[in-house]
Amino acid sequence: MSNTTPVKQEVQKEAFNWLSLIEKYRVLLIFIILCGIAGALSDVFFTMSNVMNVLRQVSIIAIIASGMTLVILIAGIDLSVGAVMAFSGAILAGALTAGWPLALALLAALGVGLLFGLFNGFITARFGVPSFIATLAIMVIARGMTLVYTKGYPLVVSNEAYRYIGSGRFFGVPIPIIIMFVVFGFMYWMLKYTSFGRYIFAIGGNEETAILAGINVRAIKIAVFGISGLLSALSAIIYTSRLMSAQPTAGTGIELDAIAAVIIGGTSLAGGKGGVTGTLIGALIMGVLDNVLNLMNVSPFYQSIAKGLVILIAVLVDSKFSKIKK
């Protein structure tokens, strides 16, 4: 009896270590397995042109999802990102067609996104309105403003310098991919090495404790929503540049893709747990899934079902591992 108990404990400890390891790297593991399956199903999947295509397609959602990660880390949600993206793109296209200098038009678009984000944060933090309700209202308002501004028609842009942002390359790498990695690098640094990042985790972990610790919760919340709006506008700049036109329906449903990327990446909807590294991999998983289904000529209707199932599985896996850890 005395000899078997330590052995049993050692086996249990080893099993727990394996579970901890799998839990820690499960998103990366899913991504690697998915890439392996995609490579087996399609000969062109691992070609450089296809890899660049996947990264470029993912860049817009990933940038928005990085801002969404901060919002979810403070136990909030931002449903307005797609509508803010559409309105920011319309303002940008309108400014360029009116003859504004490119730099000023870009600043105007970013400013619009930032203002919408800050307003979301103000409504949520100052009046205690649930972020789901506040951002839903802003989503509807921003959509309406886009339709009023564009009169329901695309605004075509002819500025050739602007085209470089969405279609240009730097040392062979598309500019949207470079922007995406710069954004994620900055967000990773901010969350890991700054007081602002630690405050975000503290608020998401326990808001009351964060207040007692002297953290200015309102200011942090407003700033987080402001960053989300700003990154929505940045995605609008890339999207509008790629199409060389602002579409009044741009970004429709992109908020759900961004939320899905964050959840698949392992960030908890309850807040206080997660990070942008997982979000980037989550966005890549969705991009790879889209890509391989396109390469196999699968109907877009079935693609939606497949993406929904992946999100559902990710949530179930997250729930399962959370119970095991408890």
Side-chain angles (χ1 to χ4, degrees), residues 6-256:
V7 173
K8 187 177 178 182
Q9 289 176 341
E10 189 65 29
V11 171
Q12 288 177 337
K13 185 179 176 183
E14 189 175 334
F16 183 75
N17 288 338
W18 272 106
L19 283 174
S20 298
L21 198 64
I22 293 172
E23 194 276 337
K24 187 176 182 181
Y25 296 106
R26 68 180 184 278
V27 182
L28 182 61
L29 195 62
I30 292 170
F31 177 64
I32 292 171
I33 292 171
L34 184 61
C35 285
I37 294 171
L41 293 174
S42 173
D43 295 336
V44 300
F45 178 76
F46 282 116
T47 59
M48 185 54 71
S49 61
N50 189 57
V51 171
M52 288 293 176
N53 182 48
V54 171
L55 289 172
R56 188 166 50 185
Q57 295 291 340
V58 158
S59 61
I60 292 173
I61 292 176
I63 290 170
I64 291 179
S66 67
M68 186 70 77
T69 305
L70 301 191
V71 176
I72 292 179
L73 279 173
I74 60 167
I77 202 82
D78 188 352
L79 297 179
S80 69
V81 288
V84 171
M85 173 185 161
F87 189 60
S88 300
I91 292 295
L92 172 61
L96 287 175
T97 52
W100 288 27
L102 178 58
L104 200 57
L106 294 175
L107 286 175
L110 292 172
V112 165
L114 178 63
L115 284 175
F116 268 105
L118 291 174
F119 189 67
N120 275 331
F122 177 74
I123 296 294
T124 302
R126 177 66 181 81
F127 299 105
V129 178
S131 57
F132 177 84
I133 303 298
T135 57
L136 179 65
I138 297 301
M139 179 184 80
V140 177
I141 292 170
R143 278 281 169 216
M145 290 173 71
T146 305
L147 291 172
V148 169
Y149 185 78
T150 62
K151 296 181 173 59
Y153 294 100
L155 298 178
V156 178
V157 179
S158 57
N159 189 311
E160 287 304 314
Y162 177 53
R163 186 191 297 274
Y164 184 75
I165 297 175
S167 306
R169 289 173 179 264
F170 186 72
F171 289 107
V173 181
I175 299 298
I177 298 175
I178 296 173
I179 295 174
M180 177 182 71
F181 281 115
V182 168
V183 168
F184 271 89
F186 175 78
M187 299 288 268
Y188 178 81
W189 168 81
M190 186 183 70
L191 282 175
K192 194 171 179 64
Y193 297 108
T194 68
S195 299
F196 181 71
R198 289 190 287 275
Y199 293 163
I200 288 173
F201 282 103
I203 292 170
N206 191 319
E207 187 172 329
E208 290 183 2
T209 304
I211 293 171
L212 292 173
I215 297 173
N216 190 338
V217 173
R218 282 185 182 174
I220 299 296
K221 281 188 172 182
I222 292 172
V224 164
F225 277 97
I227 292 171
S228 180
L230 185 67
L231 292 176
S232 300
L234 180 60
S235 291
I237 290 171
I238 297 171
Y239 183 78
T240 308
S241 172
R242 283 177 59 185
L243 299 179
M244 289 304 283
S245 69
Q247 304 292 324
T249 56
T252 302
I254 203 168
E255 59 276 354
L256 300 180

